[in-house]
Amino acid sequence: MTSVAPPPPAEIRWCGVRISRLSRRRLANFRANRRGWWSTWIFLALFLFTLPAEFVANDRPLLVWLNGELYVPVLSSYAETDFGGEFETEADYRDPYFQQLLQGSGWALWPLIRYGNRTVNFALREPAPAPPSGNNWLGTDDQARDVLARLIYGCRISVLFGLCLTFFSSLVGIAAGAIQGYFGGWVDLLFQRFIEVWQGLPTLYLLIILASLVEPNFAWLLGLLLLFSWMSLVGVVRAEFLRARNFDFVRAARALGVDDITIMRRHVLPNAMASTLTFLPFILTGSVTVLTSLDFLGFGLPAGSPSLGELLAQGKRNLHAPWLGVTVVVVLSVMLSLLVFIGEAVRDAFDPRRSLEPSGSAG
Amino acid sequence: MSLLEIQQLSTTFSGSGGEADVEAVRDLSLNVERGETVAVVGESGSGKSVTALSVMQLLPYPQAYHPSGSIRLGEDELIGAPPALLQSLRGDRMAMIFQEPMTALNPLHTVEKQIGETLRLHQGLDRDAARQRSLELLRRVQIPDPEQRLESWPHQLSGGQRQRVMIAMALANEPDLLIADEPTTALDVTVQAEILTLLREQQIQLNMGLLLITHDLTLVSHIADRVYVMTQGRVVEQGVTTQILTEPTHPYTRKLLASEPPPRWDRARSSVPVRPVDASIEATGRATGPAHSSGQVDPPDDLLQVDDLRVWFPIKRGLLRRTVGHVKAVDGVSLQLASGSTIGLVGESGSGKTTLAMAVLRLLTSEGGIRFCGHDLQLLKNTQLRALRRQFQVVFQDPLSSLSPRLSAFQIVEEGLKVHGIGGHYQQRRAHVAAALHEVGLDPASMDRFPHEFSGGQRQRLAVARALILEPRFLVLDEPTSALDRTVQLQIIELLQRLQEQHDLAYLFISHDLRVVRALADELVVLRDGVVVESGRARDLFEAPRQQYTQRLMQAAFTRSVGGFDS
């Protein structure tokens, strides 16, 4: 035996992030859950499909080629005169007049769906809401806007909102729980009482009152909901920290002279992460639902914004147009089910009885 | 016909997730006659507990299974027996006592309910009859105030009393076979002897067969009629107790018997050349001992000096949480420790040993003076203290819980270097860690493994390496060998002895195991209920303890290994 240090271990890295063996094992567990694994891919595919919504559903062409010049209407706006028209206002690409301009000397490359989220289809032959047709694949809503286009934009905003809210509320929640659990005593006592009071505040009424004062937008809503949603993780993280702070390895670290913040970050947090991560998909589900319900009630995103909740409300108002209600209910159930399946798979993957090495039970 | 007859028993745990099956017990044959005490001895992982649970058929089936063998209790074959038959046998004809009486008793039930349960189940007694019988059983296991104890909850009983309640429960239906799985391991030495005597008496009175599972060969020597020695799932030696003790044939049995460390004063004190420091230690040792008196003038080269240390926890009552009294965990303890020497701190559980150590390390708030290397630790600010922590380190009892499960061995050991900004860059730190691992007898190539991939003894070496890498002058060892097997204990003690000589380390060695303390301590402090009962030179105290309490401790720890119970 020599006292020469062995070379640093070969590490498996993925996008620069070091993956420990435990994580690999958990990943393998996660993959072993076929339902969760497929749900993840389907959800990711849907999310990636809706993310560039402007390129998927838009009332402007992606590219226009006219008289030897290339235009990109999806990114910048052009006046009608740029294409040889009469007005200096922005070109209306869906107008038959624009088709005439193009004829013979150019072409336009359209996105998959030729409607934006606010495009009103003036060419409808019947009163809005119109049933599904070759033009409007899922029909139109009561303001003659394409349902599929609004769905794509609506999904994107729901998921993005959910992700943002989940991220920020876990950040705040973990920090708050960690401080309470680690220091305990008076800090914990006061913080806990504060949370109890804070939880008692009626969130919905607060939102309604605020909606009458300011026009809520994405950031406003995010901030407001964040004020109340961070508490969901506090309990779990606090419990884990309370448990871990009396562990011998934490005492050993204190005896080594390690400061509190490092102990929390390096020794306690990794042990608390498993139960925290398990919660995240469910918090995401909750966040999506919250935004949908606020939009449904009309206290959410500003009027005219594409959102699942708003579409749901339309479905309720127009029961004679079942394509509205059916579409949004199907989309919502599929999305939430996928998230729940993912959450279950994550939970099982982090289950210590499965992911830790089985210790010899012989004795 | 034997009461219990096990033939060619194998027990296997099927591996999960593509791992190999674990053969916990292989081809084991064993029999227990009525009125006989049979001991199964082995270290952890030897399969002795699995054997006991196989008899009770309490293993997690079907994850565990028996590829071969038969277990017969009287006429009944237990392997593959229908659940209804097993249920009627368990608690009635065969009963079991577990190691940890706290977790084996339901915390939500009173003693009366716990004992009464098996009586009502198997004998169909009504409430009053069950109460009468429970009372009788409590008297039988010699619990003081049995009437009051019936109403007690498990947490209100001491460890020894809980184990007595467990025995009372097991005896409730006067079983033919009693299985005791490490019945005394979780108990203090003085209580251990009482419990074993009780078991022996009951076994004779009820003419039971007693199957005693233990890791401690010497412990069972005077109550077992026959002994089976197990290692790695196999019986390597069996026979009449006296024969096994006097003429062991298998090398493993010999190793088990020889694993008692020699006393410190018998050990030649240097494989290393004696340095002048050593001489001064000897002088100091003589100067301070044997009697302890607080008014004594201390030698100037004391590394650590503790004066009248007190740790009192307030008891708060009532609505306003007024302090009505104190739990005096440590009450007025003074110590002097010179560099290179060892103070052994002994006492039973609850005597305040660990609290005292934590207070000395300033991991607990305390009152009284702690001087270390000329600094008054009580007056230092946190930042100053943090810098000084390099000089005094600690090794805990359970090596698994004292190592962060998510950090590799390298990360665990290097942490101290990082905190104190020593050890240079990454490659240099790896070299430092490698040297430290080598020093404690671990292969440096294993530094990137995680704690759960090491054995118990290796983990404890790792914990020692973590403390040593900062080159401390003083080490608190809080029961560093208690969680380990006997043979591994010996290795760790040898390691500690070697390190002390090489680095001139001072130890505060805490243990309830006097045999281990004897191997290391220059001086001995006996603690009881937070107060020093007796202190002085270790040899004097071991050879001629003056206080009654110390005498009792010594007797419980040593008589059983030399003489017998009758003495």
Side-chain angles (χ1 to χ4, degrees), chain A residues 2 249 256-257 266-267 357 363, chain B residues 49 386 404 415 420 444 452:
Chain A
T2 61
F249 63 78
L256 279 173
R266 194 174 144 94
H267 294 276
E357 311 265 320
Chain B
S49 286
R386 218 167 264 156
S404 267
E415 177 148 44
H420 294 282
H452 64 85

Side-chain angles (χ1 to χ4, degrees), chain A residues 114-329:
Chain A
R114 295 191 181 190
Y115 298 91
N117 67 70
R118 288 170 197 243
T119 315
V120 176
N121 185 359
F122 292 108
L124 280 182
R125 300 230 177 87
E126 52 203 303
S133 65
N135 265 328
N136 303 107
W137 296 344
L138 290 175
T140 70
D141 64 4
D142 57 4
Q143 290 169 50
R145 294 173 298 199
D146 188 62
V147 171
L148 184 55
R150 287 185 72 77
L151 209 57
I152 290 171
Y153 283 86
C155 280
R156 176 174 71 169
I157 213 159
S158 287
V159 175
L160 282 180
F161 186 86
L163 286 175
C164 286
L165 188 57
T166 309
F167 177 75
F168 287 113
S169 49
S170 13
L171 218 60
V172 179
I174 289 172
I179 289 169
Q180 285 177 56
Y182 186 78
F183 292 105
W186 276 104
V187 178
D188 187 35
L189 200 73
L190 291 177
F191 227 130
Q192 284 288 299
R193 300 296 84 76
F194 169 73
I195 285 181
E196 274 159 23
V197 172
W198 200 242
Q199 255 168 349
L201 289 181
T203 321
L204 186 63
Y205 297 137
L206 226 79
L207 281 169
I208 294 174
I209 293 166
L210 279 158
S212 63
L213 296 178
V214 290
E215 192 193 23
N217 56 19
F218 190 90
W220 259 104
L221 274 179
L222 191 67
L224 267 176
L225 288 176
L226 184 60
L227 281 181
F228 300 95
S229 67
W230 59 271
M231 288 172 290
S232 52
L233 267 180
V234 170
V236 188
V237 178
R238 170 175 170 270
E240 290 284 344
F241 271 71
L242 268 180
R243 193 170 65 95
R245 74 179 180 138
N246 288 323
F247 280 172
D248 276 348
F249 63 78
V250 172
R251 282 202 288 181
R254 283 173 64 203
L256 279 173
V258 185
D259 59 82
D260 288 333
I261 293 175
T262 314
I263 292 181
M264 285 162 81
R265 192 171 47 78
R266 194 174 144 94
H267 294 276
V268 190
L269 189 60
N271 292 291
M273 266 336 257
S275 45
T276 311
L277 281 175
T278 311
F279 260 70
L280 288 190
F282 299 108
I283 293 182
L284 181 59
T285 317
S287 309
V288 170
T289 319
V290 164
L291 183 69
T292 308
S293 47
L294 282 181
D295 281 336
F296 179 76
L297 294 173
F299 300 115
L301 295 168
S305 311
S307 86
L308 297 176
E310 191 258 359
L311 208 55
L312 201 60
Q314 285 212 17
K316 185 191 143 233
R317 279 201 302 271
N318 301 287
L319 287 175
H320 59 280
W323 57 88
L324 289 174
V326 169
T327 308
V328 71
V329 166

